[in-house]
Amino acid sequence: MNAATITGVRNIAVPVTDQDRALEFYVGKLGFQVVRDAPLQQLGGRWIELAPPGSTTTIALIPARDGASAGVDTGIRLSSPDVPGAHADLAARGVEVEELLSWEGIPPMFVFRDEDGNRFVVVE
């Protein structure tokens, strides 16, 4: 396999039970921008891609189904230059955030969940 065949991470799929509700959460509470929103009958919904401002990697909000359940630990680590500030801001916007974690020699981080219970980590 040629090492240049895979050149990056385009998007990451997150299963959601209600695409409209999820879209409202990611745009309204997280400040993401809509990159693409198009009907996709094969998925039983739409192909919705969102990204934090300036990001080249997107999150695709796909309809939950067998084999792609909502309410999972996504394994996705998002970044912020000010994690304590992001923690306070998201909590003030009504996002379910967990405790701000800070250990010596490790960047500060915290967990939040979307409205389907999908788990994300924000790391400085």
Side-chain angles (χ1 to χ4, degrees):
M1 178 178 204
N2 181 343
T5 301
I6 297 174
T7 60
V9 176
R10 168 88 168 102
N11 65 44
I12 301 163
V14 174
V16 297
T17 57
D18 181 325
Q19 287 183 302
D20 288 325
R21 182 182 69 170
L23 183 60
E24 188 175 306
F25 173 84
Y26 284 82
V27 172
K29 292 192 176 183
L30 300 183
F32 284 22
Q33 298 173 332
V34 177
V35 174
R36 184 170 290 107
D37 186 349
L40 185 60
Q41 296 303 322
Q42 295 87 338
L43 282 181
R46 302 175 354 235
W47 182 259
I48 302 172
E49 285 184 64
L50 308 165
S55 177
T56 58
T57 302
T58 63
I59 291 178
L61 301 177
I62 62 168
R65 62 189 189 287
D66 286 342
S69 301
V72 298
D73 182 348
T74 66
I76 298 171
R77 304 305 190 250
L78 302 168
S79 61
S80 171
D82 176 13
V83 164
H87 183 267
D89 181 55
L90 291 179
R93 292 175 186 231
V95 175
E96 180 186 338
V97 296
E98 294 184 9
E99 153 185 27
L100 179 63
L101 303 173
S102 184
W103 299 288
E104 187 175 331
I106 306 296
M109 64 186 78
F110 67 92
V111 169
F112 77 87
R113 296 182 194 291
D114 70 9
E115 294 186 349
D116 277 302
N118 292 309
R119 184 178 187 272
F120 299 82
V121 178
V122 180
V123 181
E124 193 166 290

